[in-house]
Each structure stands twice: as structure tokens, then as C-alpha cells.
Amino acid sequence: MNTDLSNPIYSPDQCEPVPGLWFCFRVLPALIAFLLGLILLNASVARAADAAAPGAGKLLLQGPGLPPVPAVMQHSAVQVSVSGMVAVVTLEQTFRNSSEQWVEGVYVFPLPGQAAVRALEMRVGERRIIGEIRERQEAEAVYAAARDTGRKASLVAQQRPNLFSNRIANLGPGETVVVKLEFVQPVTYAEGVFGLRLPMTLTPRYIPGRPLAGSAGSLSIPDYLRYFPATDEVPDAPLLATLQHFRAGSDAAPLNPLTIAVDLNAGLPLARVDTPYHEMRLRRDGNRYQLRLARGSSEMDRDFVLHWEPATGSQPGAALFTEQVAGEHYGLLLVVPPALTQRPQIRARELVFVVDTSGSMGGVPIQQLRQSLVAALDGLRPADRFNIIAFDQSYRTLFADAMPVGPRTLQRARAFISQMRAAGGTEMLPPLRRALAVSTAGDSGGRLRQVIFMTDGAVGNEHAIIDTIAAELGDSRLFALGLGSAPNSWFLRKVAQLGRGRHLHIGDQSEISARVAALLDYLSAPMLTDIRVDWPQTVAAAGGPVPDLYAGAPLLRLVRFNTPPQPGVIRVSGELAGAPWQQELALGADDPGGASAPGVASLWARERIEQILEQRHQGLHEDSVRAEVLSLALRHRLLSPFTSFVAVEQAVSRDRGLPLRTVAVPGTRPRGQSPQAFAYPQTATTAAAKLFLACLLLFVALLFWVMRGPEVDRVPDRRQ
């Protein structure tokens, strides 16, 4: 065969083409590129355009058939007042409309999972409108009527215990509205350190389930702001999907500026005050400390965490904090068990690590996960057994069942960890069920069964997962390790609480060694069991039965006194490391109520509401749950799943003939997290995506067909 192109008898122009080759390499690629362009164009219409107007520095939202509209921008100011074991927090959200159109802003934001939201105020210029607590459907109807008639209004609703939405209606061109919320949250205390955590942004939630047809009422999200339809597992998915309107920000050029001011009244001398994720300026006046951001403001891209440690000899052993509201008395009891000087022999353990490798873990979180797992492996003991289950849209197990700790199994585990990558959806239920099933399979040899759950908690079906853990936990203990700069802290705390374990957070690479060591310490720590609290008078506890405690964890108990606090002795008893233990707190005749702490009543009502909601696990009918929660929330003026705050200005701002556009107020992507692709549920694959995949497969098949044929040069016969 002559393939010499310099040969005068060979002319490429005279070669006959191989049948189908022209179609494969010319027409089909162009067709596939065209279809792909259509898919991308369709996606760009449904999503917020991540672009800025020339010279304006404004984010734009693009809807189908509508011109770009500048997004409503917001900035927040947080003021924290800490007294004893209670923090009263004021959050001001300022919304400004820089467009030429009338808009309704929708803003989804986080609050602490134990926050008791008890007040709303809206300011328009010099006018102040105090919000009212209403039954949820009634509040939505009041807001919708105000919006449709052109009056300014704000509606704050609870979507999850730590996830809230704020809607601001009839924000005119160039106008600014300030929405002020007040909430109360408890201070934590463990291992000799007090703590406070305020979430500032959210990791976009993964939405599982089958799509539902139709929309939900007059307050549904417009189609051009939707990324997910409502599903059978997450009916409020369209509202949660506004979380996807996220952008990257920085402290130097914040997208959502934040100012923080803390007034810390510790009541005792402190050895250390620390804010690990924010640089703060500190001023001290006796036992009072004032903290401000060193740069004046920061980006809302990571949680704000505050720690303070008492000076040696000042650690509390027991204390009572009380508050009187509307003639009723409420108390918060703190009891700290002593540290053991010598720990008893620890039982062998069976540990199952359930780890999240979904797309929301991209960037820093997946690095934290790998390093945390390696550190945890280093802390295993020869008598232990272990396994690892990694999940995204599906799950993979290291071993079929838990295996003994040894050089070979540890080597396989490290290789398994090194291959972990962040991608795909977040299907938590199957791997958790597998982990709980593994812990009850086979001969455990009397080992203590412990499941360690490592995740950012970025799911929309939290309640379904919590219900599963409550039903299938068995004899296991479940510990949660939150990863990333903005984990779903309420969810992690709740699963650990139901799992009779503890939860910790890792927000920075430098914390991994200490946090994992603390986790392993908890896993091997003896528990304080059979706890009993005897009061000198009748009280109504908010939290149900007293749970077991791991060593180093304090007992916090919220109660309502049936009569004013009486002198006497509060006695706490139990069994610690197999031996009887008891601690007493004497209440004097001069001050039987202990230290005053505003906010205790709201915390009691908030925890009592949570306790009632949990009774659904024991079969309490939904109507009974709703009636009890609604009565308690209205009496204490608290946000709940069945109540909302609404504030309405009486004056009409917008003429009803002028159009009103609903826009999502952009949030900030959590620091260190990779940009998120859209992790649709497996049931939500679009027809366009299927068509593109089919064309791609057809193209590959044709290539194989062509390449399998013999190579033939067709040269005209010059001898004729």
C-alpha cells in the first residue's frame, strides 16, 4: 500500500471517504455540542447569574423572560450579652434595594439550634413596627395580604430548628429596611471551658426524595428562583433551594458584611478568652469583657465561636440561675461531676466510622475528613474492632464487617481513606442503617458498640434521619463530628443526643489532632449513669428523663418551679465508674433563687417545645403535638414549627399597579468549601440530560464501529 503523499499518482482529493466517517467526525460532534449548549442555556436561566453589572458591583438575578434585576443586599450586626449560662443575642439584618423596581426579598439564614427566638422589630426610616407572634398559617395570610396591597411587611418563619427564613415585602427602589431579631441560647460548658457558637452561613442542602407536583400556597417560591421541586421527603425544598444563591466572599471585600459585639459578664476571673475563627479586640473591666472585630467587619462565611476558661480554682461545681416572668419562676441548674484521678479498665470497642464524601464536603472539609480518620485510626487499641463506611449518593464499606485492629487492616484502611474524593449527593439513610445493622451482627464479644458519624450535615431530610436513628439505634452509641466552617450543628447535636453520645466540631485544620483526641477520649470515658435530681420543692423539668453523661460533661437542667424557689438542698446523685456519686447545692434563705439570668424562661419553653416534638417518636398524634406546641409558643412568644413572627406597616408604600418581583438575597459560601455543583436526587435526572447522554453513547459506538474496520486507501486506477 502506497501512502507516500509525494507520489504524483496519489491525490487525497481523489480518495473516496469511508462510509459514515464524515457523519461521525463532522455532523455528530456539532449536533452534540448544540444539544449541550441548549442544556447549559436552560440551566443558566434557572439559576442566578453569577455576574456583576458593569461598574456597579451589584449581583444580578436572571429569570425567564425577565430583565436582570439587582439582588437585594444585606448586612448583619450581632450583639451578644452573656450572663452566667445564658446568652441574649440581638441580630439586625439590613436590606437595601438598589434597583429601580419594587421587590420582595427572601433570605434564608441560620441560628443556633437551641435558640429561643422571642422578638421581632422592623424599622423603615424612623418608623418602628413591633412584630407579633401568630399561628403560622395566620401569619402567612397577614403577610400575603400586606404584600398584595402594597404595604411593607416582614415575615420570619422557622424552616428547621436552626434554619429560618425572612421575607421582606414591598421594598421600594433605593429603600432600606432593618429587621431586628432577639433570641436566647444556652452557654455550653465542658472540660473546664465555657463556649458559645453562632452560625453565620449555611452549607446548601442536598434534597432527596421524589418530586411532588404543584406549589404550596401563596408564599411559594417563584419558578425562576427554584432549583429543586418539593419532594415527598423535603416538602419545603423550593424555599431551601434559595440557599443555592451563594457567592464567595472575603473579609477584605465582604459580600454580606458582619459586625460582632460581645459583652461577656463571666462573674468570675478568667484565664483565657478565645475566638478561634475571628480576630477580635478585647477590653476588660473587672470580670466583664468586651469584644469587637479587629477589622470592624468580616464576611459571613464561617461560624463565630467564643471560648472562655475560668482561672484555676474558679471552676464551677454547681450553680442555679433563675428568672421570674409573668409571676412564674424558672431555673437552670448546672452540676459538674468531678474528674476521675484514675480511670477503670475500659471495655473493648467495636467502632464503625460513617463518613460523608458528598459534593458539599469539597475543599477543606474533605481534607479535614481524611486527616481526622487517620488520626482516629492511630488512636485505636489492639483489642478494638473497626470498619469504615463512606457515602455520597451510594455507600462503600472497607470491610464486610468490623475487623480486628492490626497492621494489615490498618494499611487497607489508610489506602481506602487516601482514595476518598468529594462528589455526588448526600444519601445518609442507607449507610447509617448499615452501620447500625453492622453493630448488631455477629459475635461482638461483649464489646461496646460505637458509631462515629463524620459529616457537615448538609441534608434537607434531617427529621427522617433522626427518626431512623431513634428507631434503629439498638445498643449502639452514636457520636457526631461536624466538619467544615458551617456545619449543621443542630442536626449533629440531635443525632448525638438520640444516639446517647457526644458531638464535636472541627472548623480548622489546626484543631484536628486535639478534637480527634478529645473524641477518642469520650469514646473510652466512663459514664455517669442512673442520674437523679432531688429538688426541695415540686418542679416541671423541660428535658424529660435525665440522660447518661460521659466524664467531663456537665449536667444542665431547665425547670419551672410550681411555687417560688424555696430554701433547701438540691441533691444530684448517680453512679460514676461503678461507684455511687452525689453532689449537693444549698439554697440559702436570703437568696433561694440563686443567680439571676434573663432568658432562662425562654430557654425552658424552647426545650419544652423540643421535648413535645420528640414525643412523635413515641407515637403521640400530630394534632396533640401541634396543640401543645402552639399553646406554649404563643404564651412565651417564641418561634416554632407552628408559629411565625409578622410585622406590617399600615401605610401603603407601593401602588398596586406597579409590579412586584421576588428575589433571593444571596448568602455566602462557607469558607474553604469548593463551589457546589447541583447534586440532584437520583429521581430528578432531566430529559435533556438523558438525551445528551444517549447522543454521547451513540457517538462513542460509531467511533468504535469505524475504528474496527480495515484501513483502506482508495486510489483511482491510472492504468485505465
Side-chain angles (χ1 to χ4, degrees):
M1 181 178 65
N2 187 357
T3 58
D4 184 4
L5 297 183
S6 63
N7 192 323
I9 69 170
Y10 182 86
S11 174
D13 294 335
Q14 296 174 327
C15 293
E16 299 179 12
V18 176
L21 192 62
W22 176 83
F23 176 77
C24 291
F25 289 96
R26 295 287 181 88
V27 177
L28 190 57
L31 179 61
I32 292 176
F34 175 72
L35 292 174
L36 180 60
L38 287 180
I39 294 172
L40 295 176
L41 180 62
N42 180 66
S44 66
V45 170
R47 304 174 186 177
D50 193 3
K58 300 173 184 176
L59 297 172
L60 300 182
L61 299 177
Q62 176 68 58
L66 295 171
V69 177
V72 175
M73 305 300 293
Q74 73 90 31
H75 68 264
S76 299
V78 175
Q79 292 186 332
V80 184
S81 177
V82 179
S83 179
M85 295 297 297
V86 180
V88 179
V89 184
T90 299
L91 169 63
E92 283 194 356
Q93 298 171 338
T94 301
F95 300 91
R96 183 176 183 274
N97 176 19
S98 58
S99 75
E100 299 300 322
Q101 301 187 29
W102 288 84
V103 299
E104 175 195 25
V106 181
Y107 182 54
V108 181
F109 62 98
L111 288 179
Q114 295 173 285
V117 184
R118 62 181 189 178
L120 166 70
E121 175 185 304
M122 182 175 68
R123 293 202 307 269
V124 183
E126 299 298 323
R127 305 184 297 280
R128 296 172 62 248
I129 301 97
I130 304 300
E132 299 179 356
I133 191 74
R134 300 279 189 95
E135 190 271 335
R136 184 164 183 153
Q137 282 74 22
E138 180 185 356
E140 290 180 352
V142 170
Y143 173 84
R147 178 194 61 190
D148 296 342
T149 56
R151 293 175 291 165
K152 285 185 173 57
S154 174
L155 175 71
V156 178
Q158 175 181 314
Q159 309 303 325
R160 300 289 187 275
N162 65 334
L163 182 62
F164 298 79
S165 63
N166 190 354
R167 303 182 76 125
I168 310 95
N170 295 309
L171 192 57
E175 286 189 329
T176 298
V177 170
V178 178
V179 177
K180 179 179 176 182
L181 292 172
E182 181 183 271
F183 62 89
V184 183
Q185 73 173 103
V187 168
T188 62
Y189 181 75
E191 285 74 50
V193 179
F194 292 92
L196 184 71
R197 189 181 195 96
L198 297 175
M200 294 297 163
T201 190
L202 295 147
T203 299
R205 302 293 204 256
Y206 173 75
I207 308 297
R210 297 180 178 180
L212 299 175
S215 59
S218 60
L219 295 182
S220 61
I221 298 297
D223 288 339
Y224 55 83
L225 294 184
R226 292 175 182 243
Y227 288 122
F228 302 109
T231 71
D232 54 353
E233 294 188 39
V234 192
D236 59 348
L239 181 57
L240 298 185
T242 61
L243 297 176
Q244 309 296 340
H245 292 268
F246 270 36
R247 307 290 185 270
S250 67
D251 287 345
L255 170 68
N256 290 293
L258 167 72
T259 60
I260 303 174
V262 180
D263 182 11
L264 173 60
N265 183 11
L268 65 164
L270 301 181
R272 177 176 65 94
V273 178
D274 180 35
T275 54
Y277 311 135
H278 292 79
E279 186 178 352
M280 307 287 287
R281 290 184 285 108
L282 175 67
R283 188 176 71 179
R284 176 183 176 185
D285 182 10
N287 289 332
R288 299 179 71 96
Y289 298 79
Q290 292 185 342
L291 296 95
R292 304 291 186 272
L293 286 171
R295 301 179 62 170
S297 66
S298 73
E299 179 58 83
M300 297 179 66
D301 60 357
R302 72 269 195 197
D303 291 357
F304 173 74
V305 176
L306 172 65
H307 295 141
W308 62 99
E309 183 177 353
T312 303
S314 300
Q315 288 84 356
L320 178 67
F321 306 90
T322 61
E323 183 184 26
Q324 180 180 357
V325 176
E328 294 187 317
H329 297 262
Y330 301 86
L332 171 60
L333 174 66
L334 166 70
V335 178
V336 183
L340 294 177
T341 56
Q342 183 176 1
R343 292 192 172 184
Q345 184 177 0
I346 304 301
R347 291 167 53 188
R349 302 167 298 179
E350 180 182 301
L351 294 95
V352 181
F353 299 91
V354 182
V355 300
D356 185 352
T357 61
S358 64
S360 66
M361 295 285 291
V364 172
I366 193 68
Q367 299 173 23
Q368 294 175 349
L369 173 65
R370 289 193 291 258
Q371 294 179 31
S372 299
L373 274 173
V374 170
L377 293 180
D378 293 338
L380 295 178
R381 299 177 308 219
D384 295 334
R385 298 171 69 91
F386 78 102
N387 200 0
I388 301 175
I389 302 175
F391 70 91
D392 40 58
Q393 287 181 219
S394 58
Y395 69 87
R396 308 160 300 285
T397 61
L398 174 60
F399 306 117
D401 202 350
M403 297 291 289
V405 175
R408 183 171 297 180
T409 55
L410 290 176
Q411 182 180 7
R412 286 185 59 183
R414 291 189 175 94
F416 186 76
I417 294 169
S418 67
Q419 296 173 2
M420 290 180 178
R421 301 292 183 270
T426 314
E427 294 288 348
M428 287 185 178
L429 279 175
L432 279 173
R433 285 196 172 108
R434 171 65 189 273
L436 297 177
V438 165
S439 67
T440 58
D443 180 14
S444 66
R447 289 179 174 83
L448 183 63
R449 303 180 181 115
Q450 297 172 327
V451 177
I452 299 89
F453 189 31
M454 299 182 174
T455 178
D456 57 9
V459 289
N461 62 330
E462 296 102 316
H463 290 295
I465 297 169
I466 289 170
D467 290 344
T468 298
I469 292 171
E472 303 181 17
L473 182 69
D475 294 330
S476 300
R477 298 290 191 272
L478 194 153
F479 294 76
L481 186 62
L483 302 172
S485 55
N488 189 345
S489 297
W490 167 79
F491 172 64
L492 298 172
R493 178 183 68 84
K494 198 63 187 175
V495 298
Q497 179 183 338
L498 284 174
R500 295 171 292 180
R502 293 288 303 275
H503 75 285
L504 293 172
H505 296 94
I506 293 178
D508 189 80
Q509 302 285 97
S510 62
E511 298 176 338
I512 291 177
S513 297
R515 292 295 186 185
V516 173
L519 175 63
L520 295 175
D521 194 45
Y522 291 146
L523 295 175
S524 60
M527 290 188 296
L528 177 62
T529 60
D530 301 325
I531 303 173
R532 176 187 175 96
V533 182
D534 295 313
W535 297 81
Q537 64 195 98
T538 304
V539 299
V546 182
D548 295 341
L549 296 175
Y550 279 76
L555 171 66
L556 290 172
R557 199 69 171 157
L558 283 157
V559 299
R560 184 188 65 199
F561 296 96
N562 291 352
T563 59
Q566 304 295 320
V569 174
I570 302 174
R571 183 174 292 106
V572 182
S573 59
E575 187 174 288
L576 181 61
W581 171 84
Q582 179 175 295
Q583 190 160 335
E584 296 181 348
L585 175 63
L587 304 177
D590 295 336
D591 188 17
S596 176
V600 170
S602 297
L603 290 179
W604 178 88
R606 174 68 181 81
E607 186 162 327
R608 174 61 184 155
I609 288 173
E610 186 172 348
Q611 181 191 3
I612 296 170
L613 293 172
E614 287 177 357
Q615 291 178 8
R616 291 181 291 194
H617 301 311
Q618 287 78 45
L620 184 62
H621 195 273
E622 185 70 24
D623 291 342
S624 299
V625 170
R626 177 185 174 84
E628 288 192 53
V629 170
L630 189 59
S631 173
L632 194 60
L634 291 175
R635 186 166 71 251
H636 285 266
R637 291 180 49 82
L638 295 180
L639 270 185
S640 75
F642 308 117
T643 53
S644 298
F645 272 108
V646 62
V648 177
E649 186 180 36
Q650 295 306 311
V652 174
S653 301
R654 175 181 61 88
D655 186 281
R656 298 185 66 175
L658 296 175
L660 181 69
R661 175 92 190 276
T662 301
V663 299
V665 180
T668 308
R669 183 187 307 138
R671 173 172 290 196
Q673 185 187 70
S674 298
Q676 291 299 289
F678 287 82
Y680 292 98
Q682 294 180 1
T683 57
T685 303
T686 64
K690 291 179 179 177
L691 177 61
F692 172 72
L693 180 61
C695 291
L696 180 61
L697 292 176
L698 177 61
F699 177 62
V700 173
L702 287 172
L703 279 180
F704 273 103
W705 177 76
V706 171
M707 298 302 293
R708 286 183 60 192
E711 184 177 358
V712 178
D713 286 342
R714 297 185 182 272
V715 182
D717 189 352
R718 300 279 184 162
R719 295 174 297 178
Q720 297 180 356

